[in-house]
Amino acid sequence: MTLYAAFAILHFAMTTLTYIQAILSILIIASILIQKSDSGVGGAFGGDGWNSAYHTRRGFEKAIFNITIVLAVLFAVTSLAALLVR
């Protein structure tokens, strides 16, 4: 393998990782915005913390929550891979 071929492979990997990170970041933002928040502003400033801070997720809400976690982990893995490719 020539030096030019090695640089071409690294450039392709870096470009691909950049696009994957951009797509993952958009998906993370969308999944966070989709999640329902019942706490309101009062929960953020110390109001009624017991009722608004915790509730059991079920069905679609649980699926979106788990998808958000998976997307965040994938984003972290691609970020580490991008560091190693450089």
Side-chain angles (χ1 to χ4, degrees), residues 38-82:
D38 288 332
S39 63
V41 179
F45 296 110
D48 198 20
W50 290 105
N51 293 330
S52 62
Y54 179 77
H55 66 280
T56 303
R57 291 176 175 88
R58 292 188 176 106
F60 181 71
E61 187 179 9
K62 185 175 183 179
I64 291 294
F65 180 73
N66 290 332
I67 288 170
T68 304
I69 292 172
V70 169
L71 289 172
V73 169
L74 287 175
F75 185 81
V77 168
T78 57
S79 297
L80 289 174

Side-chain angles (χ1 to χ4, degrees), residues 18-34 67-68 71-72 75:
T18 302
Y19 285 122
I20 290 172
Q21 283 181 325
I23 292 168
L24 285 173
S25 65
I26 291 169
L27 291 174
I28 289 171
I29 291 169
S31 67
I32 289 172
L33 291 175
I34 288 173
I67 288 170
T68 304
L71 289 172
F75 185 81

Side-chain angles (χ1 to χ4, degrees), residues 2-13:
T2 65
L3 189 59
Y4 177 75
F7 282 128
I9 291 171
L10 285 176
H11 177 69
F12 175 75

